[in-house]
Amino acid sequence: MRWTRGCVTLFLCASLSACTAVSGGGGGASPLRPTVRPGTTASGTDLGGAALAARDVDGLTVSEADGRPEVRVALPACAPLAYALSGEAVGDPTATVEHRLSGDGATVTAILAEYPSGRAPTAMDALGTALDECADGFTTTVDGEEHKVGDVVPQLVPEGVEQAMGWQATVNRAGRSVPVKTVVLRVGDTVAYLSGTPALPAAVLQAQMTKLS
């Protein structure tokens, strides 16, 4: 395990309220701040082999995610965190694959995003910048409903990929707080966004790291 600057990817599904971040690398000065929804989800042929399947995670059901949320953020600096928490890839990937995993009391959204050459580290840097600027929390709306994100706290993450980030945050939705744990992994031009509530099973994280390595 290593401790590094937490580049955060927050995932605000309708059922999520808090996020947990893991270690991250890369501290660029050029933040990526999407202010509109990323492009239409594509079925990336190069991503299929790295996407989690039922055979990879015993005891969990794996299915395609239903739709994509509409996310709005009052503070542009916090947009990368809000998009990641909401199940959107940061920036403008060329293709994405999104799955939902459920079982053992946990729900996890797993997004794989393929970026143009050299752009994946920029997305990671944008998350790191947003974590620095928005660590005390921020407000966003997901499909028109307000979510208040509390303190975003970087966490430790295992080694094994080129970059890995994780964090914990508290999100309040309709008067109810829910814990969310998030980890972001990068290998080359591919970034995996994993966000689970109320926890991110270790088996899911390990399976995704193995398939990316």
Side-chain angles (χ1 to χ4, degrees):
M1 304 285 280
R2 71 178 182 275
W3 176 260
T4 57
R5 175 183 173 187
C7 291
V8 181
T9 305
L10 299 182
F11 199 97
L12 286 176
C13 283
S15 62
L16 302 184
S17 303
C19 292
T20 303
V22 183
S23 65
S30 176
L32 198 61
R33 297 174 177 174
T35 55
V36 297
R37 295 181 65 197
T40 303
T41 299
S43 191
T45 55
D46 293 340
L47 299 180
L52 292 175
R55 63 180 178 274
D56 301 315
V57 283
D58 293 338
L60 297 180
T61 299
V62 180
S63 60
E64 293 187 7
D66 297 328
R68 304 176 68 185
E70 181 177 356
V71 183
R72 297 181 181 277
V73 190
L75 297 175
C78 302
L81 290 184
Y83 273 80
L85 279 173
S86 304
E88 297 281 7
V90 174
D92 188 20
T94 55
T96 59
V97 175
E98 182 176 347
H99 286 162
R100 180 70 50 82
L101 296 83
S102 59
D104 293 333
T107 300
V108 178
T109 300
I111 301 174
L112 284 181
E114 187 77 15
Y115 290 84
S117 179
R119 298 299 293 173
T122 303
M124 301 290 275
D125 288 344
L127 288 168
T129 299
L131 178 58
D132 287 344
E133 298 188 13
C134 305
D136 293 335
F138 58 94
T139 299
T140 183
T141 59
V142 181
D143 291 335
E145 185 172 26
E146 184 178 82
H147 293 249
K148 293 185 177 180
V149 180
D151 292 349
V152 182
V153 182
Q155 304 287 299
L156 291 173
V157 286
E159 298 180 344
V161 292
E162 293 179 38
Q163 283 183 282
M165 310 170 184
W167 60 89
Q168 179 172 350
T170 300
V171 179
N172 186 286
R173 167 179 171 265
R176 178 170 174 261
S177 293
V178 179
V180 178
K181 296 180 182 296
T182 301
V183 174
V184 185
L185 310 169
R186 183 183 71 81
V187 173
D189 296 320
T190 301
V191 177
Y193 301 88
L194 304 173
S195 188
T197 182
L200 178 59
V204 173
L205 175 57
Q206 185 57 56
Q208 187 63 87
M209 292 184 68
T210 298
K211 300 199 78 170
L212 281 175
S213 300

